[in-house]
Amino acid sequence: MIEQPAYTGFGFSDGEWGLLVGLPQSVLTAASAAESDGTRRTMAENAAGMETIAAGRESANRLVAAVAGEIVTRVGDPEAGEELPAISPADPRAMIDDVLGRAGEAAALLAARIDEGEAGAYKHWLVEIAEQVVGAASTGGVLGLGGDVVSDSERRFRDRLSQVLND
């Protein structure tokens, strides 16, 4: 017997599943790119985002758990010391707009296909990923001291994401 892909149990096509599985990492990257923080701070943001994604495997929500499990299988488990490479988009603003557009597509897809509670848990998880990333490293300050925990541009991204997802 051939094992069916996880997404078939939710009624998604391969492309729709790709959107849902790709979005958490995209949110992580966009949240990190919202403020240029330097390599060390970006690595801390990536680690916080991946930990939040990986923690989704323990979610009581089966969609979040399935998506998180697939991401960890694809990119590695932070609990095993595997790190996501830091991505610095050439045009952060365009990348952020793209991620917000895909978040809107995902929200519409979820509203049309699955229970409101399951959809809400997935959307809330995306906002939580952004929240953990933007709060992982302070911006500004001198020699890593002081500065803002969450900059205005990071807060703006997180808030726009929450608004797009209606979370």
Side-chain angles (χ1 to χ4, degrees):
M1 185 168 140
I2 297 174
E3 188 175 323
Q4 294 293 317
Y7 59 81
T8 59
F10 295 100
F12 296 119
S13 70
D14 185 49
E16 293 165 338
W17 186 247
L19 171 67
L20 297 175
V21 170
L23 199 50
Q25 280 183 270
S26 295
V27 165
L28 183 164
T29 302
S32 182
E35 183 72 41
S36 179
D37 293 320
T39 303
R40 185 181 58 77
R41 290 178 176 151
T42 298
M43 293 302 286
E45 291 170 343
N46 280 346
M50 275 310 296
E51 287 172 14
T52 307
I53 289 171
R57 295 176 294 180
E58 305 300 322
S59 175
N61 179 278
R62 64 187 193 103
L63 176 61
V64 170
V67 169
E70 180 129 351
I71 293 168
V72 169
T73 298
R74 290 181 184 186
V75 302
D77 189 344
E79 293 175 8
E82 298 169 339
E83 292 183 10
L84 190 65
I87 298 172
S88 298
D91 186 349
R93 183 165 293 158
M95 191 262 189
I96 287 169
D97 289 343
D98 176 65
V99 170
L100 292 171
R102 287 188 286 136
E105 290 175 31
L109 170 65
L110 295 172
R113 294 283 180 81
I114 65 172
D115 170 86
E116 185 178 329
E118 278 205 1
Y122 176 84
K123 294 185 297 185
H124 181 73
W125 179 54
L126 292 177
V127 174
E128 179 64 20
I129 292 165
E131 182 71 34
Q132 292 302 313
V133 170
V134 302
S138 61
T139 300
V142 178
L143 300 174
L145 302 173
D148 297 321
V149 174
V150 179
S151 72
D152 289 341
S153 58
E154 290 170 328
R155 187 175 296 108
R156 198 167 27 256
F157 170 73
R158 182 201 57 212
D159 292 350
R160 286 178 64 201
L161 178 66
S162 182
Q163 184 180 31
V164 165
L165 295 172
N166 294 316
D167 181 58

